Amino acid sequence: MTTTTPRPEAPTALVGHERLLDAVTGLFTRRGLPLPRARTAAEALCHGDLVGFPSHGLFNLERLYLPLLETGRCDPWAEPVTVRDLGACAVVDHRRALGLWAAAEAMDDAVARARRHGIGLVAVRGATHFGCAGFHAARAAAAGMVGVVAANCGGQRLVPAPGGSLPLLGTNPLSVAAPALPGRPFVLDMSTTTVPTGRLRLAERDGAPVPEGWLEDEHGTPVTDPGAYDRSQARLRWLGGTPQTGAYKGFGLGLAVEVLAAGLSGSATGPAPEALTGDGRAQGVDDGVGFLLLAVDAARLRPGGDFTDAMRDLFGTVADCPPAAGSDGEPRYPGWWEAERSLRHRREGVPLPAGLYEELTALGLFDDAEDEGHTGGGVR
């Protein structure tokens, strides 16, 4: 088991949410995106920092999204094309469009289909990374519907099957969203591995060890050094941990996402024949990503039409459950605390590590002169 020594906590900068959106929107338009789509992409990217998932926020701008645009793996001018339309469901080729906006538009399409048919399903191929799956699923919840989002990692292979020696699947995120209590929708947003790779890279940036159970070496021994992952000295574990504690459940969910996201749309898959020629290390690239975006107009589907009231009772009961003796937290459903953070950050500013703020300033997002004197201070 390897460890790292955490660095002292770094200072943060507070940036107004609207200012952050304007800055990122401007950067995307300078990279060729039309303004409305650049704004949606900015909202999707900043969502991670807004709700407390920085591993899927602005941390990825220079590391992931700008390289995608600059290398041509993502086309800023791409126009998605519907290749099959059956009314309630469709297959759409995103043609390497930036997933941050394209997945949002695909979910809006699914919602529109659900308004007409009760259910709307859009299967997407030719896609690129789309940020937080929950951002897109929550668009259906905002429309009073149930939303489901599943995405594979294209041809990327990071994690082997339990007991296997060769990586077959990516982190394969899954999200389900629904109306719940007012202003606090239910939003489950999860990878099918213990954590997404971004959590490891954030820990490595901060010089912090990761908990036992996130990573293991080739013998199954826990690894707590996050940098061991990118050095090919450790691999992610599936949800459930080890085969004895339920790793087959996480692996099974990962395969289910592969079926839904890639099988229905005709996207690239991780478990392809070439996976069997690997050397045991992560391989492939996340090109040819597939999405599934599903919206269900449950108010129309459910007899009696009392879906919204039923969801308030369901999630209200969860929120009212008393904490266990000695617990340091209150029972809440997925999406509650994210909504709380979002409200606070909209009011007080979005916290960005000082190093990330400097990185974004170097990219031209912020004006050094305008911010002079604000280091470590109030909202910028």
Side-chain angles (χ1 to χ4, degrees), residues 34-73:
L35 179 57
R37 289 174 170 176
R39 185 69 174 190
T40 300
E43 291 171 351
L45 183 59
C46 296
H47 176 81
D49 302 282
L50 182 69
V51 302
F53 292 152
S55 62
H56 282 60
L58 286 159
F59 170 69
N60 286 321
L61 182 60
E62 190 169 34
R63 186 184 69 82
L64 175 60
Y65 295 108
L66 292 184
L68 279 175
L69 290 165
E70 290 163 358
T71 61
R73 290 175 58 205

Side-chain angles (χ1 to χ4, degrees), residues 37 49 90 94 102-103 121 135 145 164 208 219 243 263 268 300 361:
R37 289 174 170 176
D49 302 282
H94 273 189
L121 186 155
F135 172 83
M145 300 186 186
H219 306 294
R300 290 179 58 193
T361 299

Side-chain angles (χ1 to χ4, degrees), residues 185-253:
F186 167 75
V187 185
L188 173 68
D189 186 349
M190 52 175 271
S191 61
T192 50
T193 51
T194 50
V195 290
T197 56
R199 294 283 298 277
L200 303 175
R201 289 169 179 137
L202 272 182
E204 171 67 6
R205 181 198 68 184
D206 296 339
V210 298
E212 286 191 22
W214 286 16
L215 292 170
E216 64 184 16
D217 65 17
E218 60 182 329
H219 306 294
T221 304
V223 174
T224 60
D225 175 5
Y229 175 77
D230 280 329
R231 297 195 301 269
S232 299
Q233 296 172 345
R235 61 194 185 193
L236 283 166
R237 280 181 167 173
W238 292 106
L239 280 174
T242 67
Q244 294 74 27
T245 59
Y248 289 100
K249 296 179 181 179
F251 176 62
L253 281 173

Side-chain angles (χ1 to χ4, degrees), residues 69-296:
L69 290 165
E70 290 163 358
T71 61
R73 290 175 58 205
C74 175
D75 180 2
W77 299 282
E79 282 294 336
V81 173
T82 300
V83 296
R84 180 155 298 168
D85 192 333
L86 303 181
C89 53
V91 175
V92 178
D93 187 344
H94 273 189
R95 304 173 73 191
R96 295 181 292 111
L98 183 62
L100 291 167
W101 68 258
E105 285 196 5
M107 177 52 88
D108 293 346
D109 183 11
V111 167
R113 292 172 185 274
R115 292 200 189 285
R116 295 193 299 271
H117 304 285
I119 188 168
L121 186 155
V122 178
V124 173
R125 63 190 189 195
T128 65
H129 199 281
F130 64 13
C132 292
F135 172 83
H136 306 291
R139 298 175 81 87
M145 300 186 186
V146 175
V148 179
V149 174
N152 83 336
C153 294
Q156 192 173 47
R157 294 177 282 275
L158 306 176
V159 194
S165 61
L166 298 173
L168 297 178
L169 294 175
T171 55
N172 286 19
L174 174 67
S175 180
V176 180
L181 298 183
R184 292 169 177 80
F186 167 75
V187 185
L188 173 68
D189 186 349
M190 52 175 271
S191 61
T192 50
T193 51
T194 50
V195 290
T197 56
R199 294 283 298 277
L200 303 175
R201 289 169 179 137
L202 272 182
E204 171 67 6
R205 181 198 68 184
D206 296 339
V210 298
E212 286 191 22
W214 286 16
L215 292 170
E216 64 184 16
D217 65 17
E218 60 182 329
H219 306 294
T221 304
V223 174
T224 60
D225 175 5
Y229 175 77
D230 280 329
R231 297 195 301 269
S232 299
Q233 296 172 345
R235 61 194 185 193
L236 283 166
R237 280 181 167 173
W238 292 106
L239 280 174
T242 67
Q244 294 74 27
T245 59
Y248 289 100
K249 296 179 181 179
F251 176 62
L253 281 173
L255 284 174
V257 168
E258 204 77 26
V259 171
L260 295 171
L264 298 184
S265 65
S267 300
T269 60
E274 54 265 35
L276 303 180
T277 63
D279 60 3
R281 293 179 292 183
Q283 58 177 300
V285 293
D286 53 349
D287 290 334
V289 171
F291 304 154
L292 172 86
L293 303 110
L294 173 67
V296 181

